[in-house]
Amino acid sequence: MAFDGLFTKAMTRELQQLVSGRISKVHQPNQLELLLHIRAQGHNQKLLISIHPSYSRIHLTAMANVNPSEPPMFCMLLRKHIEGGVITEVIQHEMDRLIILKIRAKNEIGDDIERELHVEMMGRHSNVILVDSTRMMILDSLKHLPPSVNSYRTILPGQPYIFPPSQEKKDPFSAVAELIGKDEKEMVGTFAGFSPLNARELHFRLDGADDKKETAQQFLNEFLAEKPAGHYVEFDGKSYFSATALTHIGSEELTFPTLGELLDRMYYAKAERDRVKQQAGDLERWLQNEIAKLKLKLKKLQKEQDQAEKRDQLQLNGELIMANLHRITKGMKEIEVDNYYNDEKVTITLDPRKTPIDNSQRYYSRYQKAKTALVKTQEQIEKTIEDIEYFETLMQQVQQAGISDIEEIREELAEQGFMKAQKSKKKKKPTKPSVESYVSSTGTPISVGKNNKQNDYVTFKVAAKSDTWLHTKDIPGSHVIVHDNAPDETTLLEAATIAAYFSKARESSSVPVDYTEARQVKKPNGAKPGFVIYFEQKTLFVTPDEDLVIKLKK
């Protein structure tokens, strides 16, 4: 990761396109994020601001966000002060990870007001602060810091705004020659804006350069480009990014035309997963507990089944007692007899208080009970296995769900009688499940269900009978519909890749995906949500590809 001062410099350059843009909407999807809708240069843009302790950032985004039904207080304050306002400047403070949006807006009586939105991207100390720039006074912030927490700078409404403490480092753009001869640690310790990643990159380039000053200048100039490109590398299980090529890592690099697209690729899925964990942590734990209880129950049932399967011996004992009545008298505790089925000796335990016939009837009675128990046990085993598979499917769906999908999974569990329905003050109107839309690279629309409700909806309501239906073979996953009765090979492979990606086999390779006409998919009577049977299928083998799935998302 390298959202350092140099990357902030490049991001400030990319965000210059917002200058003179008007803020049309302000949203706060959650406690850590803001989303500003801005009309600039004839285009609608979405500016994402995050103070996540691991993913703090600011960038233009193409990703969709789900907003709460009631905006938080800070969001309401921003709407009052900056909605409808015009961005007059986007600047970086010194070489810090701090970008300031200067905004000219109007107050309630129509007078011009000057506001600044300070976006401080500093790990767990990240914050967004709304400042009255005429008085440099804090109006409010996403996070409050009282004097008891930070004696240097108090972040509370009505307090004067104080910039984060300066690190007293040199500006590398003003001291290019001094970079030469410095090792990585010295670069980070001496020059503002350098993360270890970018220090390693510059040191690597200088090491093999003839004109070292020119090499250092070219390196820095990449962060000043009018349209900076994003560079992304994966190596040894870790991800790295920068606004310059990372040649020192020696791994295949992905290049993005903008830094916003780079950060969407880097962070969106991770941040979404974090948001889902916050909302669905209790649901995930509940499912884990239920699966564990069901597996324990299954073990007990299988043990009971093993015991019940010994019923044939009980029947044989009853028969052998009847065949040897002349040898048995009341009071005997056991008798050894010949087993006329295999010529072996059998020792039979007897109840000395019962007559020989009563002992025989006792074994016959136990045989009948065991026979009945075996049938019931087998039924319970089948039901328990079915419930385990159902909950494991839900677990997979929770682990891959978006925020909007979680509520539908809770509703489904309540409808199935497994959980109590969550009480809500407002009566919710019935809504149709929201399915995700994709478009293949050849232009064919594709619909995807992300949970059982969506799966049933997309298969039996959205799909035409002649559309193509896909699902991973014998693996929990999403129902995928290609809205075409004869899709081309590229579309079919891409849809199969989406099906494999949204399945339990996401981390596998060569995943089998079945496909057939939607008319061949049936739901048995009484089946649980999402469960179907299908016929006349063919099978493809594909490897899940996250980059492709992101690219095809509508």
Side-chain angles (χ1 to χ4, degrees):
M1 307 299 181
F3 208 124
D4 56 8
L6 288 173
F7 191 88
T8 305
K9 175 77 76 177
M11 181 57 74
T12 306
R13 295 288 295 170
E14 181 163 294
L15 296 182
Q16 293 308 306
Q17 61 187 288
L18 299 180
V19 173
S20 77
R22 187 175 297 277
I23 300 169
S24 57
K25 293 178 185 176
V26 178
H27 292 297
Q28 187 177 342
N30 55 69
Q31 62 183 352
L32 300 177
E33 292 183 351
L34 293 169
L35 195 67
L36 307 186
H37 291 249
I38 302 164
R39 179 73 178 176
Q41 299 181 9
H43 299 286
N44 293 320
Q45 305 272 24
K46 290 189 293 184
L47 181 67
L48 176 68
I49 300 170
S50 172
I51 62 166
H52 190 287
S54 302
Y55 317 134
S56 57
R57 64 202 189 279
I58 177 173
H59 63 94
L60 296 172
T61 182
M63 298 298 184
N65 284 73
V66 178
N67 297 306
S69 54
E70 294 184 11
M73 289 299 295
F74 186 65
C75 179
M76 294 293 287
L77 183 83
L78 288 181
R79 288 178 180 179
K80 176 184 174 182
H81 284 271
I82 68 172
E83 203 167 71
V86 174
I87 296 173
T88 57
E89 284 186 80
V90 179
I91 59 174
Q92 178 186 19
H93 175 65
E94 297 179 349
M95 279 295 293
D96 285 344
R97 291 169 291 170
L98 197 171
I99 288 180
I100 302 168
L101 303 180
K102 295 195 173 188
I103 301 160
R104 185 178 65 251
K106 302 242 181 226
N107 62 15
E108 294 92 334
I109 59 174
D111 293 336
D112 284 343
I113 54 173
E114 302 291 332
R115 298 290 182 257
E116 290 180 358
L117 201 62
H118 288 232
V119 183
E120 301 178 354
M121 297 159 289
M122 300 173 181
R124 62 190 180 89
H125 302 295
S126 300
N127 209 345
V128 178
I129 305 168
L130 180 65
V131 177
D132 178 347
S133 55
T134 56
R135 296 179 290 167
M136 285 309 288
M137 185 187 78
I138 297 170
L139 296 172
D140 207 348
S141 59
L142 263 179
K143 288 195 300 192
H144 290 174
L145 290 177
S148 58
V149 174
N150 190 327
S151 58
Y152 176 79
R153 60 194 300 245
T154 299
I155 308 296
L156 288 172
Q159 294 294 314
Y161 177 81
I162 299 171
F163 282 97
S166 174
Q167 294 184 319
E168 304 297 335
K169 293 182 181 181
K170 294 181 180 180
D171 182 347
F173 293 92
S174 304
V176 178
E178 295 180 45
L179 287 164
I180 299 164
K182 298 286 193 297
D183 64 22
E184 299 158 26
K185 286 186 178 179
E186 288 174 321
M187 284 184 193
V188 173
T190 306
F191 298 94
F194 269 92
S195 65
L197 178 71
N198 281 322
R200 285 195 297 272
E201 177 60 28
L202 177 56
H203 186 266
F204 177 78
R205 294 190 193 183
L206 290 173
D207 192 42
D210 294 327
D211 189 335
K212 297 188 185 300
K213 185 176 180 181
E214 178 63 21
T215 298
Q217 187 65 63
Q218 285 178 354
F219 173 82
L220 293 173
N221 286 347
E222 290 186 51
F223 295 93
L224 297 173
E226 186 177 344
K227 293 183 178 180
H231 300 266
Y232 172 83
V233 177
E234 285 188 0
F235 179 73
D236 199 21
K238 294 183 180 179
S239 302
Y240 305 90
F241 70 87
S242 182
T244 184
L246 297 170
T247 58
H248 74 279
I249 294 178
S251 185
E252 186 178 351
E253 183 177 83
L254 286 176
T255 305
F256 295 83
T258 68
L259 302 183
E261 289 176 65
L262 164 69
L263 295 183
D264 270 346
R265 172 65 180 83
M266 271 295 302
Y267 286 136
Y268 185 79
K270 293 175 183 177
E272 176 80 353
R273 186 72 218 127
D274 260 22
R275 289 191 292 269
V276 170
K277 276 191 173 180
Q278 288 174 20
Q279 290 202 5
D282 62 322
L283 180 57
E284 203 164 337
R285 287 190 297 273
W286 184 88
L287 286 168
Q288 285 172 342
N289 289 337
E290 289 301 306
I291 291 169
K293 285 193 287 186
L294 285 167
K295 286 184 174 178
L296 184 62
K297 179 182 176 181
L298 183 60
K299 280 185 179 179
K300 289 179 179 176
L301 287 170
Q302 286 170 337
K303 189 175 180 181
E304 288 176 18
Q305 186 182 47
D306 290 342
Q307 291 173 344
E309 283 177 347
K310 296 174 182 176
R311 68 192 188 283
D312 291 342
Q313 185 63 47
L314 298 172
Q315 184 184 30
L316 177 62
N317 287 352
E319 289 179 3
L320 293 177
I321 289 172
M322 291 302 292
N324 291 273
L325 286 176
H326 60 284
R327 296 180 51 207
I328 305 171
T329 58
K330 189 175 181 179
M332 292 176 64
K333 292 183 179 180
E334 62 178 35
I335 185 173
E336 186 178 71
V337 299
D338 292 322
N339 181 354
Y340 42 72
Y341 288 109
N342 56 18
D343 295 330
E344 291 180 358
K345 297 286 186 182
V346 178
T347 299
I348 301 173
T349 301
L350 301 170
D351 186 339
R353 297 166 300 175
K354 295 183 181 293
T355 66
I357 291 178
D358 286 342
N359 268 295
S360 175
Q361 290 301 317
R362 182 169 69 97
Y363 276 108
Y364 281 130
S365 178
R366 287 171 61 190
Y367 164 73
Q368 289 299 331
K369 285 181 181 179
K371 188 177 177 182
T372 303
L374 186 64
V375 174
K376 289 182 179 178
T377 302
Q378 184 58 36
E379 288 173 357
Q380 288 186 341
I381 286 173
E382 290 171 5
K383 173 71 168 58
T384 304
I385 290 172
E386 182 184 306
D387 286 346
I388 290 171
E389 290 174 352
Y390 175 63
F391 286 133
E392 285 181 340
T393 298
L394 288 178
M395 177 67 82
Q396 171 260 322
Q397 291 172 357
V398 168
Q399 289 170 348
Q400 297 180 2
I403 291 175
S404 58
D405 306 322
I406 294 298
E407 188 58 34
E408 290 177 343
I409 294 174
R410 290 187 193 276
E411 288 173 4
E412 178 188 329
L413 283 165
E415 289 166 5
Q416 294 295 307
F418 291 110
M419 291 182 82
K420 286 185 178 179
Q422 291 186 332
K423 291 182 179 179
S424 176
K425 293 179 182 178
K426 293 184 178 179
K427 285 188 176 179
K428 290 175 67 179
K429 293 180 180 177
T431 55
K432 294 178 181 177
S434 175
V435 299
E436 288 199 350
S437 298
Y438 294 78
V439 178
S440 75
S441 54
T442 56
T444 305
I446 300 169
S447 297
V448 180
K450 295 282 292 298
N451 57 46
N452 289 332
K453 281 195 165 191
Q454 292 176 17
N455 284 340
D456 281 348
Y457 180 70
V458 78
T459 297
F460 299 111
K461 298 292 184 184
V462 175
K465 296 292 183 185
S466 58
D467 284 348
T468 304
W469 180 91
L470 301 93
H471 191 281
T472 41
K473 184 181 181 68
D474 301 326
I475 300 169
S478 291
H479 293 199
V480 176
I481 299 293
V482 176
H483 297 285
D484 194 327
N485 61 349
D488 58 86
E489 186 179 353
T490 298
T491 295
L492 197 59
L493 285 169
E494 288 175 347
T497 302
I498 293 171
Y501 181 77
F502 290 114
S503 78
K504 200 174 181 180
R506 176 179 287 191
E507 305 301 325
S508 305
S509 59
S510 194
V511 178
V513 178
D514 286 341
Y515 67 98
T516 187
E517 276 192 319
R519 73 176 79 250
Q520 299 295 340
V521 183
K522 311 294 180 187
K523 190 171 190 67
N525 290 334
K528 283 187 170 67
F531 181 81
V532 296
I533 54 175
Y534 53 92
F535 312 93
E536 297 187 17
Q537 70 271 18
K538 295 178 182 176
T539 305
L540 289 169
F541 289 85
V542 294
T543 297
D545 184 342
E546 184 175 41
D547 289 326
L548 177 64
V549 173
I550 292 171
K551 178 183 171 185
L552 299 178
K553 185 132 180 21
K554 189 174 176 181

